[in-house]
């Protein structure tokens, strides 16, 4: 079956760094997405990885290892506004997104 | 670019009535639109995938006669919740994928919060 695993909740301190891990099992693979979702709002796109390696975009970076079925989202210089749920989604061979349950990130001052 | 709108943003209706939600891609043409439902503190649940001019493909467990989807053009898809009941109360989110796909990114609408009383 198809499955995405990510931690349910994480806590970090303002100004620190946090890494949110995601492992996936899909029928075929066409890339890995990370989305941010604030409470009561729709998800917003953060990153897309289809090749192995690290993609950096400002304070946010995303890493992919296809051989390990593993990705992580790295958030640096955490700000209070980064408190949100972070959704990992893998795209299968039918270009369908398989969603993780999301990781709720709590930022403390 | 790549803006998706939804209307209404929130709606309250009585049990037994029908509610229509519109999803529009404002500045691009969408080959495919997706409808999701999200209950509090849960992840997105894909309800159906629709391609312009063809019938929607529903996920297992989603009643196609209850959740009517029409994808009349490359910029508009509608979801009608027929004979709504309190258990249909949820956050409904649509997303759209570009016609000229590059990363197959889905652009999300702002969501519609439905409350059935």
């Amino acid at each position: 079956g198809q499955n995405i695993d990510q931690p349910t909740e994480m806590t970090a301190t303002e100004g620190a760094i946090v890494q949110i891990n995601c492992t996936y099992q899909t029928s075929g693979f066409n890339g890995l997405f990370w989305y941010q979702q604030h409470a009561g709002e729709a998800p917003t796109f953060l990153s897309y990885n289809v090749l192995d390696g690290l993609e950096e975009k400002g304070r946010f970076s995303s890493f992919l290892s296809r051989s390990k079925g593993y990705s992580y989202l790295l958030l640096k210089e955490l700000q209070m506004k980064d408190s949100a749920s972070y959704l990992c989604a893998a795209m299968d061979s039918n270009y369908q997104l398989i969603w993780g349950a999301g990781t709720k990130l709590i930022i403390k001052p | 670019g790549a803006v998706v709108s939804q209307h209404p943003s929130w709606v309250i209706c009585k049990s037994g009535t029908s509610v229509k939600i519109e999803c529009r891609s404002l500045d691009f043409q969408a080959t495919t639109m997706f409808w999701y439902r999200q209950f509090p503190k849960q992840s997105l649940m894909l309800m159906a995938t629709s391609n312009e001019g063809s019938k929607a493909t529903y996920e297992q467990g989603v009643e196609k006669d209850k959740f009517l989807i029409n994808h009349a053009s490359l910029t508009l898809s509608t979801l009608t919740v027929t004979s709504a009941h309190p258990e249909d109360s949820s956050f409904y989110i649509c997303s759209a994928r570009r016609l000229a796909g590059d990363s197959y990114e889905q652009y999300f609408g702002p969501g519609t919060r439905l409350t059935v009383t």
Side-chain angles (χ1 to χ4, degrees), chain B residues 87-104:
Chain B
E87 57 265 31
D88 298 323
S89 298
S90 187
F91 192 43
Y92 291 86
I93 309 171
C94 74
S95 69
R97 198 158 69 195
R98 283 183 187 273
L99 180 64
D102 42 13
S103 68
Y104 293 93

Side-chain angles (χ1 to χ4, degrees), chain A residues 5 15 21 25 33 50 52 65 72-73 83:
Chain A
D5 282 318
N21 296 323
Q25 291 177 303
F33 292 81
V50 68
D52 285 353
S65 168
Y72 68 72
L73 179 69
S83 292

